[in-house]
Every structure is written in structure tokens, then in C-alpha cells.
Amino acid sequence: MPARPLRERPWWVAVVSGMASYIDSAAITGFSTSLVILQKDLTLAQWEVGVAAGALTLSIAVGALIGGRLGDRFGRRPVFTATMVLVIVAVASLIAAPSFTIVTVGAVLLGLGTGADLPVSLATIAEAATDRNRGRLLGLSNLLWIVGIVVNTVLASVVGDLGRPGAQVIFAHIGIVAALVLVGRLTIPESVAWRVARDERRAGVATVRADRARVRDLLRPPYAVPFLALMAFYALTNLVANTSGQFGTYIVVTYGGATVGQAALIALPMVPVAVLGYLWFMKIADGPRRFLYFQIGAVLMIVSKLVIVVAGLSLVTYAVSALLAAVGGAFAFEGIMKVWTQESFPTLLRSTAQGAIISVGRFAAAGLAVVTPLILDAGVTTLYVLLTVFNVLGLACAWAVFRRRPVPHVFDEEAAPDPEAASTAGAA
């Protein structure tokens, strides 16, 4: 029986493809928790723990860059199927890992698989959607990302004290989900948009979607400005989000006089706040008010770090900062970046652009994480001033470009003849 077209089952495609975000967050949090267990079980040195953790982060960045390009060259379906197989192999190696070497190999494979899956899965969702539901379907991936964190956190709280078997359960959870997602993805056919663009390119039909397929096209008009703006927007705002997530508890406990329990009590209510924010984003993502919401979210994100710069670090200011960031980030961070990226680039450049944007953001976050403890030595205020500057610059890049780029977008234009090709033919 032939597979039904993607647009007949957009929400099924969104769930199955969007599970890339679930697996991404589950892999990051699960590996972090399990590494603590493996350090004791395998008597890993401190530097070995650092190398393994860094290998996962960097491999996700590399995977996004490679996977995005492969998805445009060879199709969405083969790449997002292969990535799940890679995740399953990675998890199996981590479950059985007898040494630091195998742990590192497993981390690299896990990072490559999850990283490569993200841009291709987002392109699949965008191409299964219409202008009426594309933002909502892409927004679902943010919700699944949060669900991955919550499920893994609950699982870790149950099995985290079991030693090596606990780590194996955490990894097995990721593997089982990846296997189920793989089965689901076998029901999803290749994107019609990608197949049409590929066929036109092979036939020499000079439409925008067929002719704009080279990486260098991303650095030429009309794509260079949105590409560089989205790269700057995501990289800079992700520096703030990643630092807050990775070091937030450490900062408020070490410099704010809080206990770990108090920090956890602050973090816990932020999960439902973030979920409600993402649900609201899905409601407005396809409407005319989404840029207004982006501007409101941008102000909240900037103020979230400025609160600590102005009022100092305490339990209260940290809680206020977290709340403002959770609400603002729902409308002015990764969700809107995904929507703008899918709308800004033609089919044979779509996952390449998304992969590059994600990759640069992850590389930048890894680099800042290395020096964050040194910045904290200069004072908490210094770090939060820096984070505020990152937010201002990143959000300003997005505001400056996308306030001038309302609908229509590339989905309305890419079937048209490529004006560059027409002018070249005319000159000849």
C-alpha cells in the first residue's frame, strides 16, 4: 500500500519528526546524569569526564552541519531514518561500555545522530505543512523538547541511585524511543517538495527551488541577510539560554546563598510556565501577531538578565529572572527561529541552512561554557552584563531583519522561474 502524502497527515508527521527534539533533550540530560554514574563505575578521571561531555556537545554541532546538508542532497527520508539507527547503535554501545574509549565513541555517535536529525526533521515538518499550520507544527518540536527533559528527569530520580543499572535504564529509554520513532518514520514518505525540486534540478528546469541549491547561495542575495541574521540571533541568544541552563543552579548556590533544594524549587515551576508559553506560541505562530509577540518576548528576555545586573543576585531576583526568561523565550528564541528559517530558504537549501544555524549556536555555547567559570571569577554581575549584551545583540539582529520580512515567504515564491537563470539565458 503506498504511503499517504505528508500533507494528509501533518500532525502525525509533526509528532514523529518532532521527536528529534525529544531525543535531543533526552540525550543531553540523560548523558549528563549517566556520566556521573559511569565516572564511579569505570573510575574515570576528571579530564575523561570532561572529554566525554565535550564530545557529545561538539558532535551534536557537527552532526547538525553534516545532516542538514545531506538532507538537502539526498532527501529527508533516508537521513532521518539513518539517524535513528545511529542513535540506537550509540545507546547500545553506552549501555555495554566497558571503558572510557567506548563511552567517548558512544557519545560521539549519539551526538552525530541527534544533531544530524534536527535540521532534516524540521524541514520535513515544514514541507508537510501549509501556511495555515506550519508555525504550530514546528512549535510542537519545542514542546517535545521540554517533554524529553521532564521524562528523563523523572526517570533519573527513580533509577539514579541504582548505580550502573540506573545509567543503563536511562540509555535504554533513549534507545527504545529511537526505535519507536524509527518505526514511525518508515510510514512517512519522502517530502513531495524535495522530490519536485530534485526532479526539476535534474531536468534543468530553472525554478528558484531547483536552481538555488549550492551552499554558496546562502551567502548571496536574497538569502545572505536572513541566513546571517538567524545565525547571529540563535547563536547569541543560545549563549544566554545554555549558560543559564548549565550553570544556573551552580551560580545561585555558590554566589546567591541558596541551597540546591531551593534552586530546584525555583526551577520546577518554570517547566509548566515554559509549556504554557510554547502552547501559546503554537496558537499565534501562523497569525499576523507573531512579530508583536516576538517583540514582547524579546523585551522580557533582555530584562530577565538585566534584573540581576541592576538588583544583584538573590533567590528572589534569580526566580524573577527565570520566570521572565521562560515566558520571553517561548516567543523570541528557538521556536520563532525554526519558523523563520523554514520560511526563508528554498527546498534544496532549507535543511542546510537550519543545520548551519543550529551548529554555530551549539559550537558557540560549548566555547562559552569553557570560560564561564573564569568569567564568574570576575563577578556574577560581569557575567550577567555579558549575557544581557548577548541578548540585546542577538534579538536586535532578528528584529532588524524580520520586521521587514512579513508574509509572503519562500514557499510562495520558490516555484517561480529563477530570475538569475533567466537573465543569464537572455545575456547568452
Side-chain angles (χ1 to χ4, degrees):
M1 180 182 295
R4 290 162 60 196
L6 297 186
R7 288 195 175 185
E8 291 185 11
R9 307 177 294 162
W11 284 100
W12 171 249
V13 175
V15 171
V16 175
S17 300
M19 286 299 289
S21 295
Y22 179 102
I23 292 171
D24 178 46
S25 64
I28 293 170
T29 55
F31 188 79
S32 175
T33 301
S34 299
L35 198 53
V36 176
I37 299 170
L38 292 175
Q39 181 180 17
K40 295 178 181 179
D41 188 77
L42 300 176
T43 60
L44 302 180
Q46 198 67 27
W47 69 268
E48 290 175 320
V49 173
V51 168
L56 177 68
T57 302
L58 295 176
S59 296
I60 292 173
V62 173
L65 197 62
I66 296 172
R69 189 59 189 150
L70 292 177
D72 283 336
R73 288 291 302 277
F74 301 107
R76 315 317 188 194
R77 193 171 190 267
V79 176
F80 75 37
T81 302
T83 54
M84 289 300 98
V85 174
L86 192 58
V87 169
I88 293 168
V89 171
V91 165
S93 66
L94 288 167
I95 289 173
S99 65
F100 162 70
T101 301
I102 303 302
V103 170
T104 304
V105 169
V108 169
L109 295 178
L110 186 61
L112 291 174
T114 55
D117 198 43
L118 288 168
V120 179
S121 297
L122 292 171
T124 302
I125 294 170
E127 290 160 7
T130 67
D131 292 347
R132 297 170 63 94
N133 62 11
R134 186 170 292 111
R136 276 180 289 162
L137 296 178
L138 289 166
L140 180 63
S141 66
N142 291 329
L143 202 57
L144 292 171
W145 196 85
I146 288 286
V147 173
I149 294 175
V150 172
V151 171
N152 233 30
T153 301
V154 172
L155 187 61
S157 69
V158 174
V159 303
D161 294 331
L162 299 179
R164 182 64 181 268
Q168 290 171 330
V169 169
I170 292 171
F171 287 134
H173 153 247
I174 299 170
I176 290 169
V177 171
L180 293 173
V181 170
L182 176 59
V183 172
R185 288 182 176 185
L186 293 176
T187 70
I188 297 177
E190 182 56 80
S191 160
V192 172
W194 183 85
R195 283 194 283 112
V196 169
R198 177 204 58 186
D199 292 345
E200 288 179 349
R201 185 168 180 80
R202 286 177 175 176
V205 179
T207 58
V208 170
R209 65 188 167 204
D211 208 40
R212 306 292 178 88
R214 296 166 293 274
V215 174
R216 65 176 178 269
D217 289 333
L218 289 172
L219 299 176
R220 299 168 54 206
Y223 309 122
V225 170
F227 179 60
L228 295 175
L230 284 164
M231 190 172 285
F233 164 52
Y234 183 62
L236 289 165
T237 53
N238 189 54
L239 287 176
V240 181
N242 189 76
T243 302
S244 299
Q246 191 170 355
F247 293 97
T249 299
Y250 172 78
I251 290 171
V252 75
V253 170
T254 306
Y255 300 93
T259 65
V260 173
Q262 289 172 327
L265 286 175
I266 292 173
L268 196 59
M270 298 308 142
V271 173
V273 169
V275 168
L276 290 173
Y278 288 143
L279 288 171
W280 193 257
F281 174 78
M282 291 171 65
K283 182 179 176 63
I284 57 92
D286 297 297
R289 295 184 298 165
R290 77 178 187 197
F291 194 75
L292 172 63
Y293 275 89
F294 165 76
Q295 294 178 100
I296 295 170
V299 171
L300 294 178
M301 286 181 68
I302 292 168
V303 173
S304 71
K305 300 300 176 277
L306 200 56
V307 164
I308 293 177
V309 173
V310 173
L313 179 64
S314 67
L315 208 56
V316 173
T317 57
Y318 181 78
V320 171
S321 175
L323 178 62
L324 293 174
V327 177
F331 304 102
F333 181 44
E334 192 161 350
I336 193 65
M337 178 275 289
K338 292 174 181 176
V339 176
W340 280 335
T341 301
Q342 300 305 312
E343 291 180 349
S344 296
F345 307 102
T347 298
L348 297 183
L349 285 175
R350 186 165 292 127
S351 68
T352 299
Q354 184 74 84
I357 290 164
I358 292 172
S359 180
V360 169
R362 297 293 177 99
F363 274 124
L368 182 61
V370 172
V371 299
T372 295
L374 299 178
I375 298 172
L376 283 168
D377 286 344
V380 172
T381 301
T382 301
L383 176 64
Y384 276 85
V385 166
L386 189 62
L387 297 180
T388 301
V389 171
F390 288 153
N391 261 341
V392 170
L393 293 177
L395 293 160
C397 287
W399 180 85
V401 171
F402 288 94
R403 68 189 175 94
R404 302 178 183 275
R405 294 176 65 86
V407 178
H409 43 66
V410 76
F411 285 95
D412 302 316
E413 303 165 351
E414 66 173 2
D418 184 358
E420 284 190 7
S423 64
T424 302

